[in-house]
Structure formats: structure tokens, C-alpha cells
Amino acid sequence: MTDEEKQLDANVVAIGSDSGSQKTRDKALERKLVWKTDLILMPALALAYLTHTLDRANLGNAKTDTLEKDLGLVGNQFSLLLILFYIPYALMNVPFTLLSKRFNPAVVIPTIMTCWGTMAMCAAATKNFGGILATRILMGAVEAAFFPCAIFYCSLFYTRRELSFRTSVFGCMGFIAGAISGLIAWSVFQWDRALRGWQYLFIIEGALTVGVGLLLFLILPHSIEKSRWFSEEEKRLSRLRLEEDSQDLDKQFRWEDARKETKDWTTWVFTLMPLLYGVGVASSSNFLPTIVKRIAITPAKANLYTVGPNLTAAAIQLATTWFSDRFQQRATIACGTLFVSFLAWILLAVLDLVQHVEVGYFLTYLLTFGNFTPGILVPVWVASNTTTTTGRAFRLGLNFMAQNLAGIISSAVFRAQDAPVYKPALITVACCQAVFMVVCLGLREHFRRLNKKLDSGEIVYVSGGQERPDYRYAL
């Protein structure tokens, strides 16, 4: 073999067979394709998730201002606002994810963004509990669609070996949003103008969402094949790459694929896990400012003190998801990072932080350390182990429905009479995380055994994987 032939051979890899012929792809071209896809999708989805988190979690910031007094909230009405928000936020996940399969996420995502941004601005005009409750319910119904649609959207562009880190890239904007929201809230709450500080907070963050939503109508491609930014050679390569993960690459919606997933018991285990880790996710998002408020010197600084934990958590999540893609491990990394947060929830509940303020603030860094990592890795794990695009959309919808239902549990256990420590709530979060780690590692062992049977020939191929006998379950 000549030097030129060796060089050509080093830059081309086989990805399977098709009627006896080898499909090949150039690695240099593939790197260019992935990089170009990153430049188009990642900034757009990052901006979208930034606004999503700002609008969803700003009620926690507003509570530290005069929202409860101005709207006449009494008793557990604030907790009721959170609970009733999460009901449509949970129930609308599956319908919207299936709609994104039918009409394309590039249409669904900008549409829902414009809607929930408008609702966020309307919340600034409310005068009582009923008014803000109506805006929060409507906001929850449309916000439900974003994250499952975004992960499903990415699965149409990236292979399953690339999904974790990419999802984390735009998912980290949730932490950035927590930091930005804290800064915005701290700033506007100092204003002495016509409106209250919390009203300016809702208007500013809602207007940002509407602007980004309108921009995404122009930016998001429906697919690589339909995008003007990609060459014909890149479009051909994209088709070959996606054949690794899905047995159907057409645009048809198939109810039979969704029904098949309901008969697979792992679907319901995948649905149970986000219900467990989701309690911690919702508790961090909605109550971190309140938890920090008990250790802050002045109430106004409580929002400012949330910036550090959020930024640190973003860096940790990027690092752990990079390792997850690098070593193709989902369950062990999700459990390992969550264990740190599990310890923090327990310590927050049992320690006397009134006398040890510095220790309490340090624990908030540990609390956010791994709280959100399973929320990235488990949906990616679901997408990686589902061989049809309709089935993938259905399973992702169930996954986020369960995570959002966990928000109801979180809102219910953080009761006003338990303030300022909220010890029963903190213990509840820790217990849910402990059960999650056991279930997650158990499911990993199940897939490991299936892969071993596939390697030995005891099982010929996975369900729906007749065309790809080399397919193995992600762990």
C-alpha cells in the first residue's frame, strides 16, 4: 500500500453494510460537519434555554422582593402557585414532543417561546393570586415542550455518542440563567420607580424571551438535508451517521412505534428515575434563593449569593458530561455526581447553619454540584437506547413529564410552617436521590447483561435493530 493510500485509509471509517456494500465516511469531513452543526444549533438552543430558565424560575427571585405582599398571598399560596404551574408543565410534555415529531422542532420551539415570554410579561400586570395563577398555568403548559423537544431535535443531528456533551452545553445555560436572574433581581429590586422590582423582573425577562423566539424562527434548520448551510457531501454523510442510531429516518409519525414503547418495562423505569431526581432539580430552581436567604446577611443579597453556586455547577456539568461522552458512561457518572448533592441536602437539614453561615453557603455549592447532571444524562440515555424516532419522542416526553411532576412534590414539601430550615423537605429530596441511585445502577446492570448476550450471540440483535447487528445498548 502506498503512503497516499495509507493516508486515505486513515481518514475513512466504515460504519456498516448496506446490501453488501460498505458505507464509508471521511473523518475530516465528519469533524467539519459536526463543527458546523455545533455553530448553528448550540448558540440558538443555549439562548432558548437561558430564557426558559429565567422565566420558569423567576418566581423564586420575586418571592424575595415584595411579590407576596403586593398580591396579598397568604399561607401556602406561594407553594400552590408552584404546584399548579407544574401540573400543565408535566402533562403537556408528551403531546408537545409528539407534535415536534409531526411538525418539526424548528417550528415548535420558537412558537412556544413566543407564547411563554408573552405570559411572563403579562404576569407583571397581575393584581392578585388569581391573576398570577392564570399566567403561571398558561406559561407551564407551553414551557413544558422545550427541553424534550430540544433533546429530540439534537438527536436528529447528532449521533448518540455526541449527545451528552451537546445537551449539557445548552443545558448549562440553566445555571447561567440562575446567575443572571440573581443579578437582574438584585439590581431591579433596588429601583425606586413606578413599578415594583418583581414587575420589572418579569417584564425584562419575558421581553428577552419573545425576542429570542422570533430570532429562532429564522435560525433553526428543519434538518441538515433542508439547510442551505450544508453541502451535498455533508448531507450524504449526515444520513449515514444517523443510520447508526435509528431504523427510521423518514418524517412519518408512527403510533405503533409509540405503543411498542409502552410495552417495554424499561420505558417505565426510565420514567420513574426523573420523578426521583426531579425533586432535587425543582427544589434547587425554586427554593435556592429562599435557602440562601436564611444564611444571607441581608435579604436583598440572597439573590446575589446564588450566582456562585450556579456558575460552579455549570462548570462541573460541562466536565462530567464531557467525560460521559468520552467514556460512554451515563449511569455511573449521573450517580457519582448526584451523590455529592445527596450529602449536601442531608447536611443542610441537620446542621445548625444559623451559627455557621460560611458552612451553609459552602453546602449550596455542593447542593448544585450534581443536582442537575442526571437531568442531562438520563434523557440522553433514553434517546440513545431507543431505535425509532417516534418511540424516542414518546419516551422523552414521558421522561420530562415525570421530572416536571416531581416539581409538584417539591412545591408541596417546602411548606411555609417549616421555614426557615425546611428540614422535612430537605430530607425528602435526599431520600428521593438515594432511591434514584439504586434504580439507575440497577438498570445499567440490566443493559450490561443484554450487551453481554449480544456479544456472545445469545441474542442476535436488539429490538428494532435488524439492520444493525453491531448495535449495543448505552450504559
Side-chain angles (χ1 to χ4, degrees):
M1 181 181 290
T2 67
D3 290 341
E4 291 181 355
E5 289 172 329
K6 289 179 180 178
Q7 181 63 35
L8 177 62
D9 183 63
N11 284 302
V12 176
V13 296
I15 66 167
S17 61
D18 181 27
S19 301
S21 63
Q22 287 290 314
K23 296 178 184 178
T24 60
R25 66 190 190 208
D26 185 286
K27 290 192 288 187
L29 179 63
E30 183 173 19
R31 285 192 294 270
K32 180 182 176 182
L33 171 64
V34 173
W35 177 243
K36 187 182 291 187
T37 306
D38 287 343
L39 288 178
I40 296 172
L41 262 60
M42 290 299 101
L45 292 177
L47 278 174
Y49 193 53
L50 173 71
T51 64
H52 177 275
T53 308
L54 286 175
D55 292 327
R56 176 170 51 83
N58 59 14
L59 199 63
N61 296 112
K63 184 183 180 184
T64 64
D65 192 42
T66 59
L67 178 136
E68 290 181 292
K69 178 182 177 181
D70 295 337
L71 298 183
L73 303 185
V74 295
N76 284 321
Q77 284 188 329
F78 181 81
S79 294
L80 191 60
L81 281 177
L82 297 175
I83 292 173
L84 295 180
F85 170 86
Y86 278 108
I87 292 175
Y89 192 60
L91 297 180
M92 297 304 293
N93 285 123
V94 175
F96 271 120
T97 312
L98 294 179
L99 279 175
S100 72
K101 165 64 180 176
R102 174 65 180 83
F103 295 106
N104 198 284
V107 174
V108 175
I109 290 174
T111 302
I112 60 172
M113 287 183 65
T114 305
C115 292
W116 89 59
T118 302
M119 289 299 103
M121 289 189 289
C122 289
T126 57
K127 302 297 183 182
N128 51 43
F129 173 72
I132 196 166
L133 176 62
T135 60
R136 293 294 293 182
I137 288 176
L138 292 173
M139 189 188 302
V142 287
E143 277 203 357
F146 177 75
F147 215 92
C149 287
I151 294 181
F152 176 65
Y153 186 49
C154 287
S155 75
L156 304 179
F157 290 84
Y158 298 103
T159 68
R160 60 182 184 155
R161 294 182 176 273
E162 300 161 346
L163 267 179
S164 176
F165 182 69
R166 266 78 185 182
T167 304
S168 180
V169 167
F170 71 81
C172 275
M173 294 307 292
F175 301 116
I176 307 299
I180 292 175
S181 184
L183 290 172
I184 296 174
W186 178 77
S187 176
V188 300
F189 291 173
Q190 314 305 313
W191 293 357
D192 184 15
R193 302 184 183 181
L195 301 177
R196 296 291 190 178
W198 61 267
Q199 292 175 305
Y200 284 116
L201 181 70
F202 289 167
I203 292 171
I204 291 170
E205 294 180 352
L208 177 63
T209 298
V210 172
V212 173
L214 295 175
L215 180 64
L216 261 56
F217 271 114
L218 305 175
I219 293 177
L220 292 181
H222 286 222
S223 66
I224 288 180
E225 292 187 9
K226 293 183 178 180
S227 175
R228 65 182 183 275
W229 304 111
F230 298 91
S231 67
E232 289 301 321
E233 191 175 14
E234 289 169 337
K235 293 176 181 180
R236 180 192 65 82
L237 176 58
S238 175
R239 287 193 298 271
L240 298 182
R241 280 164 40 84
L242 295 179
E243 285 177 2
E244 295 179 358
D245 295 341
S246 301
Q247 69 176 26
D248 63 318
L249 294 179
D250 58 70
K251 305 302 179 186
Q252 295 182 15
F253 178 87
R254 294 187 174 90
W255 274 114
E256 59 270 23
D257 290 340
R259 284 194 294 267
K260 185 185 74 172
E261 299 302 337
T262 64
K263 300 175 183 178
D264 185 347
W265 66 270
T266 63
T267 297
W268 304 110
V269 177
F270 273 129
T271 303
L272 171 64
M273 288 194 291
L275 183 65
L276 296 169
Y277 67 69
V279 178
V281 171
S283 298
S284 293
S285 298
N286 291 321
F287 292 99
L288 183 60
T290 303
I291 293 172
V292 173
K293 188 176 180 179
R294 69 187 255 214
I295 58 177
I297 298 175
T298 61
K301 288 187 176 180
N303 292 295
L304 196 59
Y305 285 158
T306 65
V307 175
N310 279 300
L311 292 180
T312 303
I316 295 297
Q317 182 170 287
L318 282 173
T320 53
T321 53
W322 183 87
F323 277 108
S324 177
D325 273 351
R326 175 69 177 82
F327 297 104
Q328 287 300 294
Q329 295 293 323
R330 309 304 188 199
T332 52
I333 293 178
C335 292
T337 54
L338 190 69
F339 183 74
V340 177
S341 297
F342 163 73
L343 295 177
W345 286 108
I346 293 178
L347 292 174
L348 276 171
V350 301
L351 294 181
D352 178 13
L353 301 179
V354 176
Q355 304 299 326
H356 302 89
V357 176
E358 296 83 1
V359 175
Y361 188 53
F362 172 72
L363 289 178
T364 64
Y365 282 81
L366 298 185
L367 186 149
T368 56
F369 181 95
N371 230 26
F372 300 90
T373 302
I376 298 293
L377 295 183
V378 172
V380 169
W381 195 13
V382 171
S384 299
N385 285 355
T386 311
T387 57
T388 65
T389 53
T390 301
R392 188 181 305 156
F394 176 71
R395 272 184 153 188
L396 285 171
L398 285 176
N399 181 278
F400 283 94
M401 178 188 74
Q403 179 174 328
N404 295 333
L405 284 173
I408 298 176
I409 300 175
S410 170
S411 301
V413 297
F414 276 87
R415 302 176 303 172
Q417 58 263 41
D418 296 325
V421 178
Y422 298 104
K423 185 174 181 178
L426 300 177
I427 295 298
T428 299
V429 174
C431 290
C432 288
Q433 291 182 339
V435 176
F436 162 78
M437 288 184 279
V438 173
V439 173
C440 183
L441 293 176
L443 186 60
R444 182 191 185 279
E445 177 63 16
H446 167 71
F447 285 127
R448 188 194 67 80
R449 293 182 179 183
L450 284 180
N451 285 345
K452 187 175 180 180
K453 291 180 180 180
L454 287 164
D455 292 337
S456 66
E458 185 176 345
I459 299 176
V460 179
Y461 52 78
V462 302
S463 175
Q466 294 92 327
E467 295 84 0
R468 300 179 311 287
D470 293 333
Y471 182 98
R472 295 294 182 270
Y473 288 105
L475 301 177

